[in-house]
Amino acid sequence: MATANDHQAGTTEVAASPTTDRRGANDSLAPDLGGRLLRRRSPRHRPASVSSLDRIYDTRRENEDPDPRNDPTRDENEVLNTYGITELRDSFFDAAFFPPEEFDPDELMRHAELTLPYAFRKQHPLSLTNFFPKQWHEIQTVVRRVTQTRAGIKLLKSFLGFFIAYVLCLVPPVRAWLGRHSYIMVISSLLNHSGRSIGAQVEGTVLTIIGTATGLGWGAFGLWLSTITATARVGFGGILATFLCLYIFVIACLRSYYIRTYQLVLCAGISICYTCLAEVSGNEVSWSKLLAYGVPWVLGQCIALVPCFLLAPDAGARPLAVSLHNAFSIMVDGLTKSRTDRLTRRRLALTFVNLSQAYRDLVLDFSITLFSPADVKELRNLMQAVVRGLLSLKSDARLFDKFDQVQAANIRGSTAEPGDFVVEIGHGPESETTAHEREVIRFVSENLVEPTERLLSGMKDCLQSCDAVLMEMCGHRQYIGPPSNISNDVSGTLVKLRRRIITFTTTQDSVLASKTLPPTYAEYPEVVKLFAYCRPIHQAATAVEALAVKVNQMEQRKPQYPKFHRPSYPFRKSLHRTNAQVRHDRGGLTAGSYFRSFNDIANLINNITSREFKPLSRKEDIQDNGLEKMTSTMTATELEDESLTNTARVGHSIWTVMHRLQGFETRFGLKTAAVTSLLSVPAWLVQSNGWWTQYEVWWAVVMAWLIMAPRVGGNIQDLFTRAFCAVLGAVWGGLAYVAGDGNPYVTAVFAVIFMLPMIYRFTQSTHPRSGLVGCISFTVVSLTEYTHAVEQSPAVIAATRGGAIAVGVCASILVNWVIWPFVARHDLRCYLQKYVIHPFEVLHLIISGIVSKYVYYEEGEEPSKQDIVASEILEGHLREGFVRLRQLMGLTRHEIRLRSPYDPLPYSALIDACESFFEYVVALRQSSLFYHPHFVRDNPEAAARLLGYRRDAIATIMTNLYVLSGALRAGRKVPKYLPNAAVARKELLDQTKVLETELAKSGRYSVVKKTESEKWAQIYSYSYNESLTGCVDQLKELEKYTKVIVGEQGFDSGLHRNEWVIP
């Protein structure tokens, strides 16, 4: 009710310019606000430039008198009392300004410490005192995982693919047949290692072979052109440089645009570097080197397929089972633990995101499972509905306690210790209650406590049974869980849950029908809190019931054998997604997920905000204005682009392409082409071509291409770690040859000792690219010792190849660090200012749609199921955004600050405040589904009286959020005085109460009906208004922490006039 038909409060009502007399409201506030209230009014004498705005926003008809003072029907006393002067609102809301609230900075930072992500609980990664204890702990953890979990099998599969190829290269006949670059076969089996699902392995094989073929083909064309004529031979270096630079630029852009092509373009880059840089000259082309590269590469891919298919093959069932089991475990924790536990709520939010990822991984590649993708999709939606229901449970009230215990605890000044399913109501500072209200609270509490506890217990049993059934269907229960004492009788637990839901509903209805309860709850807020807390539990139980029904159906339709399911994810979307192992191996998982999530959010928001808004007239009939009937607000259902003409579509496509060419993808392509081209220059110069070919320095270019990343910049930790792994691999490869004097058996033993931990680091740790560097360095050096043993000494081979690899690694990191770098602190602030606005856009777009579509809708225009689903989709994307923001904040711990210290506390608290704001918005949507203010919707006069107040309430929030967002974006100080949203909210609530009383006295609206529907209307009205009030409270937190980050302007700050932020 407080949101202004709330879209009209932010758009239609702000765009209109009615002549509104607010003297009564202002006078009534004067005793409360006193001299502290600063009221912004429109100037009486307006310059021509400002007066021109009146014509733009004027909504009067031509025959209307623009000056209300000339209205003959106007009361003469009113003219005398106001001296003929009327306040013209001129589209501005009537803002109230108070001095900012004083706060203790130390207390604010102590609260902010509680909001820090889990990554900040660890000691700093650059701490020297923590380095060795951390490494020892990591070693113990790795040993435990490899020996006791499935990680050991995955490591074995990955290592066997490498070791088979490596041993074959140690056999002299095989090595002689493969040629001097036999190690290409080993590197091929490493890049597409066997530790993945069958579908991902087959896809990787196809993509890597296609990428290698395209790189060899383009490079061969360049070689042919560089030697086709005598003139071309003279400038062969320039031709090859052009071919290499153009090709690297194109595939680097593809690598950053479409991550699905990562394996393809990665291998294409390696092959083009080999073709254009290895053994090149201006005299002739050694075409045999193409076969010497292509054949070992294909053989390496075939070898990698063998362990994947034969050793514990996985066709997608196990990753899905792990994701589902983890989700059920966290949902059970969300039921049994207090909702005040911030970590539990964050784990629930992360589970919401991971469920979508698990389904996406299943349908990206082909799979062989007992679950059909359609069933998994529906199962994901139902599980996310359960998570959404658990998150909607009150976070400021713990699970119930008996009213007697609560009362006794309040008397003692302490809090009773609750059990798993013990509900506690109303702890904390409570308002004074009358004896009758305490009696009503006791009555409601004693009747609802037991049914609610039993309902929560039934939900827990049902979730555990669903988990057990699904794990048994996957065949992984004995390895993953749950334990055997958990029943798999999902139909039995479903029946029990339904009985408890019926008991809960019956008890709730009987309590509502009891004569003990008053007809209205306006004077009994604690009673309303009880019902407002119990109702979300009932809704969560309904979501669990629907989930159990689906699991029961899947169990009954379980096929006898696993079935083959082809990829079913939409092709255009699949270009921006890839499977879990590739996401891990490419590195930068956190940053990549972060940018992908925010791109999706931005696209959804832009699809809505880019639409043309056409407000409806409030005075004339729609048909009189010649307008078609349409909604006056944008709703969340409109997530698709509007239909455009062919000309407009072509123009928009051209604009989109040109705009994207200015993005980070093009910048990444340019700097990648620059660093590879500069490192390649010695290959094409006559004076340096000899040692370049002799020492195979082209590996520096290959490593620079491998390590360059589109979304992750360099940091000091990566620089030292990767360079160290490159040197260590080269040294260990040289020792492997020298220790046995070239004995292949000794070399194989050295390979096992070194490559097992390196392959684990590459395939399963959080630092995969340093592991990849170590693997390639050891492989190249140790096998080159055999093919060049006569020409060069082992030390020279290790020094030259290892040095080239280290140079490529360092060059790529330094370029990423200096040229258009990724700085987590910068991106955090950039996207955080957008997220300050995004909750408002949800309020302005979704909630304005809620108010018009869900609350103040016309007859027959009730919200449909599609409207609700569309709102939930957008909410899901925004919920994922908060998860990614916290993950991005963890990356700031690895960055060196050259300018000033970086304090993550205010940023963490600001993210937490934004999330709380968003949760109130979600609660507002959920409560609005059942809140029906008929006295406003069906009474135009009542709606007109509240119009200005609703506009002021939403416009105040709107202004505050835009000012705070602009301050974060520009790094400018926040104005000292901001419009007070609490005052605007209070005015609206007071005026609403007055209006209800007047309508009740006139008999046009009854507030004393004792029907069950009217009582629920009061309860949902409380929840609805409480959610809006919570948004106002969180707005204060946003203001506090934004001022901590960017500062606060003051009248005595000494700033020049042009340095002030104009809101």
Side-chain angles (χ1 to χ4, degrees):
M1 197 162 54
T3 44
N5 205 352
D6 286 47
H7 184 50
Q8 291 183 342
T11 52
T12 306
E13 298 161 2
V14 173
S17 59
T19 302
T20 306
D21 187 357
R22 291 288 296 278
R23 292 178 297 105
N26 293 342
D27 293 342
S28 64
L29 285 173
D32 296 332
L33 304 183
R36 298 191 307 157
L37 177 61
L38 303 175
R39 181 71 68 178
R40 180 175 184 178
R41 299 180 181 276
S42 302
R44 299 173 185 175
H45 303 288
R46 303 161 59 84
S49 61
V50 179
S51 299
S52 64
L53 294 177
D54 296 339
R55 296 192 297 273
I56 297 176
Y57 294 110
D58 194 359
T59 59
R60 291 184 290 269
R61 299 176 69 87
E62 293 180 359
N63 58 356
E64 289 183 348
D65 194 329
D67 190 354
R69 292 173 290 181
N70 297 330
D71 186 358
T73 63
R74 194 175 182 195
D75 187 1
E76 184 177 353
N77 293 330
E78 182 181 352
V79 175
L80 293 175
N81 292 335
T82 61
Y83 299 96
I85 298 175
T86 300
E87 176 190 7
L88 297 176
R89 297 289 292 275
D90 296 323
S91 305
F92 297 106
F93 67 95
D94 202 8
F97 294 85
F98 281 94
E101 180 182 346
E102 298 293 337
F103 57 85
D104 182 7
D106 294 334
E107 180 63 28
L108 205 62
M109 291 301 101
R110 281 193 293 270
H111 175 268
E113 288 181 0
L114 302 176
T115 66
L116 283 175
Y118 178 76
F120 283 87
R121 298 184 183 182
K122 305 175 184 178
Q123 296 190 20
H124 198 277
L126 303 181
S127 171
L128 295 179
T129 58
N130 182 50
F131 178 77
F132 292 105
K134 178 183 176 182
Q135 298 306 312
W136 175 245
H137 179 266
E138 291 293 334
I139 292 173
Q140 292 177 316
T141 302
V142 168
V143 171
R144 189 183 310 111
R145 288 194 63 213
V146 170
T147 56
Q148 300 179 10
T149 67
R150 183 86 174 189
I153 297 178
K154 183 177 180 179
L155 175 61
L156 180 61
K157 292 170 66 175
S158 302
F159 177 75
L160 279 180
F162 156 81
F163 196 64
I164 292 172
Y166 190 83
V167 169
L168 288 176
C169 290
L170 292 177
V171 178
V174 176
R175 184 172 64 247
W177 180 75
L178 291 175
R180 60 183 297 171
H181 301 300
S182 60
Y183 49 71
I184 295 296
M185 181 172 67
V186 184
I187 293 175
S188 173
S189 64
L190 269 175
L191 291 178
N192 190 37
H193 60 85
S194 306
R196 17 180 137 237
S197 64
I198 294 177
Q201 188 72 34
V202 172
E203 178 190 348
T205 300
V206 173
L207 290 178
T208 54
I209 292 177
I210 292 176
T212 300
T214 56
L216 291 175
W218 181 260
F221 183 52
L223 289 174
W224 177 72
L225 284 180
S226 66
T227 57
I228 192 173
T229 63
T231 305
R233 293 190 188 97
V234 174
F236 83 100
I239 296 175
L240 291 181
T242 302
F243 268 74
L244 177 65
C245 184
L246 288 177
Y247 191 77
I248 289 292
F249 173 75
V250 172
I251 64 176
C253 291
L254 285 177
R255 177 177 174 179
S256 56
Y257 271 114
Y258 307 113
I259 65 171
R260 187 70 181 273
T261 63
Y262 171 76
Q263 291 176 292
L264 185 150
V265 300
L266 190 75
C267 299
I270 299 174
S271 60
I272 189 66
C273 291
Y274 169 83
T275 307
C276 293
L277 301 177
E279 303 175 7
V280 294
S281 68
N283 299 324
E284 59 179 356
V285 177
S286 175
W287 297 108
S288 62
K289 74 174 185 177
L290 300 180
L291 286 177
Y293 185 95
V295 173
W297 188 273
V298 174
L299 291 177
Q301 294 300 310
C302 295
I303 291 173
L305 287 173
V306 176
C308 181
F309 277 85
L310 298 183
L311 183 61
D314 172 43
R318 181 176 175 83
L320 178 64
V322 172
S323 299
L324 293 179
H325 175 67
N326 292 338
F328 276 108
S329 300
I330 294 172
M331 285 190 290
V332 171
D333 287 343
L335 272 175
T336 57
K337 292 184 178 180
S338 171
R339 249 73 63 196
T340 56
D341 185 359
R342 182 178 281 107
L343 179 59
T344 300
R345 295 186 65 83
R346 289 183 181 178
R347 291 178 66 200
L348 285 170
L350 182 60
T351 298
F352 188 95
V353 175
N354 290 342
L355 285 171
S356 294
Q357 189 66 67
Y359 166 73
R360 194 181 299 120
D361 289 343
L362 179 70
V363 297
L364 273 174
D365 305 310
F366 73 81
S367 58
I368 304 174
T369 65
L370 294 172
F371 297 152
S372 69
D375 285 339
V376 175
K377 181 178 181 180
E378 188 174 353
L379 185 68
R380 177 206 64 181
N381 294 339
L382 292 172
M383 293 178 70
Q384 287 181 333
V386 174
V387 173
R388 195 180 298 113
L390 295 178
L391 287 171
S392 69
L393 299 184
K394 295 293 182 180
S395 60
D396 57 349
R398 292 180 305 186
L399 292 174
F400 288 66
D401 195 357
K402 303 290 185 182
F403 178 75
D404 290 339
Q405 296 175 352
V406 174
Q407 192 176 33
N410 288 336
I411 293 174
R412 294 192 306 267
S414 60
T415 301
E417 196 67 31
D420 274 354
F421 297 107
V422 184
V423 179
E424 177 191 337
I425 301 170
H427 271 254
E430 298 192 16
S431 58
E432 295 182 1
T433 58
T434 63
H436 183 260
E437 184 177 0
R438 288 195 295 271
E439 186 63 30
V440 173
I441 294 175
R442 180 193 297 274
F443 170 75
V444 176
S445 175
E446 289 178 348
N447 282 275
L448 290 182
V449 162
E450 183 178 356
T452 306
E453 292 175 357
R454 289 175 56 83
L455 184 58
L456 290 169
S457 178
M459 292 165 62
K460 176 183 176 182
D461 294 340
C462 202
L463 288 175
Q464 290 179 332
S465 296
C466 291
D467 186 18
V469 169
L470 291 174
M471 293 305 102
E472 287 184 354
M473 290 178 64
C474 294
H476 296 293
R477 181 175 183 180
Q478 58 179 330
Y479 308 108
I480 300 177
S484 58
N485 61 339
I486 301 298
S487 172
N488 61 352
D489 183 14
V490 68
S491 58
T493 56
L494 177 60
V495 171
K496 292 179 182 178
L497 178 62
R498 283 174 170 171
R499 289 176 180 173
R500 294 180 179 183
I501 292 176
I502 294 173
T503 301
F504 177 85
T505 305
T506 304
T507 305
Q508 195 171 229
D509 294 342
S510 64
V511 171
L512 283 171
S514 174
K515 296 181 179 179
T516 306
L517 265 65
T520 61
Y521 301 140
E523 305 299 331
Y524 298 89
E526 298 300 324
V527 177
V528 179
K529 287 183 180 180
L530 302 185
F531 289 107
Y533 176 70
C534 294
R535 193 64 177 176
I537 295 178
H538 179 270
Q539 295 171 358
T542 304
V544 174
E545 178 190 9
L547 174 61
V549 170
K550 178 61 182 178
V551 173
N552 191 34
Q553 293 174 355
M554 293 175 64
E555 184 183 25
Q556 293 174 355
R557 299 199 311 263
K558 175 184 176 182
Q560 187 176 2
Y561 300 103
K563 295 183 178 180
F564 176 84
H565 304 285
R566 62 181 181 83
S568 57
Y569 200 67
F571 176 74
R572 293 185 63 181
K573 291 183 177 180
S574 68
L575 292 176
H576 300 283
R577 305 287 183 178
T578 188
N579 57 72
Q581 192 60 49
V582 172
R583 288 197 305 272
H584 173 273
D585 293 350
R586 68 192 290 264
L589 176 60
T590 297
S593 301
Y594 163 78
F595 284 107
R596 182 71 258 159
S597 299
F598 268 85
N599 286 339
D600 292 342
I601 293 171
N603 290 335
L604 287 173
I605 294 294
N606 289 336
N607 285 344
I608 301 175
T609 57
S610 61
R611 295 173 177 272
E612 182 182 1
F613 174 71
K614 298 178 181 179
L616 294 179
S617 173
R618 298 190 305 273
K619 294 184 177 181
E620 290 79 16
D621 188 69
I622 298 174
Q623 287 76 11
D624 294 341
N625 290 334
L627 297 175
E628 298 180 358
K629 186 176 182 179
M630 59 178 290
T631 58
S632 60
T633 57
M634 306 306 297
T635 64
T637 56
E638 297 173 337
L639 298 180
E640 300 296 332
D641 291 331
E642 291 177 322
S643 58
L644 302 173
T645 62
N646 291 334
T647 303
R649 187 179 294 107
V650 171
H652 184 266
S653 300
I654 295 174
W655 177 87
T656 302
V657 172
M658 298 301 293
H659 183 70
R660 287 297 297 272
L661 288 177
Q662 305 173 29
F664 80 94
E665 297 92 348
T666 304
R667 294 197 293 267
F668 173 71
L670 288 174
K671 66 182 181 181
T672 303
V675 69
T676 52
S677 299
L678 291 176
L679 289 174
S680 304
V681 169
W684 304 313
L685 301 178
V686 177
Q687 56 268 33
S688 57
N689 180 265
W691 59 263
W692 177 277
T693 302
Q694 180 182 3
Y695 299 125
E696 296 182 348
V697 187
W698 52 272
W699 272 107
V701 185
V702 172
M703 294 308 299
W705 162 251
L706 287 176
I707 301 303
M708 289 290 290
R711 281 300 199 184
V712 180
N715 58 64
I716 194 68
Q717 184 182 15
D718 290 341
L719 179 64
F720 282 109
T721 303
R722 294 171 190 174
F724 174 76
C725 287
V727 174
L728 181 63
V731 171
W732 193 263
L735 290 176
Y737 182 85
V738 173
D741 196 18
N743 189 323
Y745 296 101
V746 176
T747 303
V749 172
F750 271 76
V752 172
I753 296 174
F754 181 81
M755 290 299 291
L756 274 174
M758 277 297 168
I759 289 179
Y760 177 87
R761 187 174 181 87
F762 170 47
T763 60
Q764 300 186 48
S765 76
T766 56
H767 303 282
R769 279 185 287 186
S770 59
L772 177 63
V773 170
C775 291
I776 292 178
S777 179
F778 171 80
T779 301
V780 171
V781 170
S782 61
L783 292 179
T784 305
E785 298 281 5
Y786 288 91
T787 55
H788 293 72
V790 179
E791 307 168 10
Q792 304 167 24
S793 66
V796 171
I797 293 175
T800 53
R801 275 67 173 184
I805 292 174
V807 167
V809 169
C810 295
S812 63
I813 293 177
L814 291 175
V815 168
N816 255 348
W817 203 348
V818 175
I819 303 176
W820 295 311
F822 167 80
V823 182
R825 303 190 307 278
H826 169 75
D827 283 270
L828 182 65
R829 174 177 287 190
C830 176
Y831 279 88
L832 190 55
Q833 60 86 13
K834 293 182 180 181
Y835 235 85
V836 172
I837 284 298
H838 279 165
F840 166 71
E841 289 182 337
V842 177
L843 178 68
H844 187 56
L845 300 170
I846 296 182
I847 303 308
S848 64
I850 288 169
V851 175
S852 63
K853 189 76 175 177
Y854 294 20
V855 180
Y856 302 115
Y857 53 81
E858 301 293 337
E859 191 67 28
E861 298 290 336
E862 294 82 0
S864 64
K865 184 178 180 180
Q866 290 75 16
D867 295 324
I868 300 172
V869 171
S871 298
E872 291 175 349
I873 290 174
L874 187 51
E875 289 167 10
H877 282 287
L878 290 168
R879 198 181 299 278
E880 180 179 359
F882 288 111
V883 174
R884 303 307 182 194
L885 275 175
R886 290 195 179 90
Q887 293 176 344
L888 182 69
M889 181 176 287
L891 297 181
T892 63
R893 302 172 66 246
H894 300 268
E895 296 177 344
I896 295 179
R897 291 95 188 186
L898 301 179
R899 270 194 316 186
S900 61
Y902 172 74
D903 186 6
L905 291 178
Y907 289 92
S908 178
L910 187 59
I911 294 172
D912 189 72
C914 285
E915 186 173 22
S916 299
F917 187 97
F918 169 73
E919 292 294 347
Y920 279 115
V921 170
V922 173
L924 181 65
R925 182 190 64 79
Q926 293 173 342
S927 61
S928 65
L929 292 173
F930 308 97
Y931 169 50
H932 308 296
H934 298 282
F935 80 96
V936 174
R937 190 176 61 213
D938 302 334
N939 192 327
E941 296 178 3
R945 282 187 58 179
L946 291 179
L947 185 61
Y949 295 94
R950 297 204 308 269
R951 175 181 63 181
D952 288 355
I954 195 66
T956 306
I957 298 176
M958 176 181 180
T959 303
N960 277 268
L961 289 176
Y962 272 116
V963 170
L964 297 178
S965 175
L968 284 171
R969 181 190 296 113
R972 304 291 294 273
K973 294 182 178 181
V974 179
K976 185 179 183 66
Y977 293 94
L978 292 176
N980 194 294
V983 171
R985 175 76 182 143
K986 183 179 183 300
E987 288 184 17
L988 175 59
L989 294 176
D990 291 344
Q991 186 66 17
T992 303
K993 186 176 180 180
V994 171
L995 184 60
E996 288 179 351
T997 304
E998 292 179 0
L999 292 176
K1001 289 180 179 179
S1002 65
R1004 301 171 61 184
Y1005 172 74
S1006 176
V1007 295
V1008 295
K1009 291 183 179 180
K1010 196 172 173 60
T1011 62
E1012 178 185 342
S1013 60
E1014 288 297 328
K1015 289 190 174 184
W1016 276 120
Q1018 296 178 55
I1019 293 170
Y1020 285 117
S1021 174
Y1022 167 82
S1023 299
Y1024 182 84
N1025 289 318
E1026 184 186 41
S1027 299
L1028 285 174
T1029 304
C1031 291
V1032 173
D1033 292 337
Q1034 288 304 314
L1035 191 61
K1036 297 179 182 178
E1037 298 297 314
L1038 292 175
E1039 179 183 349
K1040 290 178 184 177
Y1041 287 109
T1042 304
K1043 287 183 176 180
V1044 171
I1045 294 173
V1046 298
E1048 178 187 89
Q1049 291 182 359
F1051 291 108
D1052 57 348
S1053 60
L1055 297 177
H1056 296 289
R1057 185 178 183 84
N1058 58 1
E1059 294 179 344
W1060 284 76
V1061 177
I1062 305 301

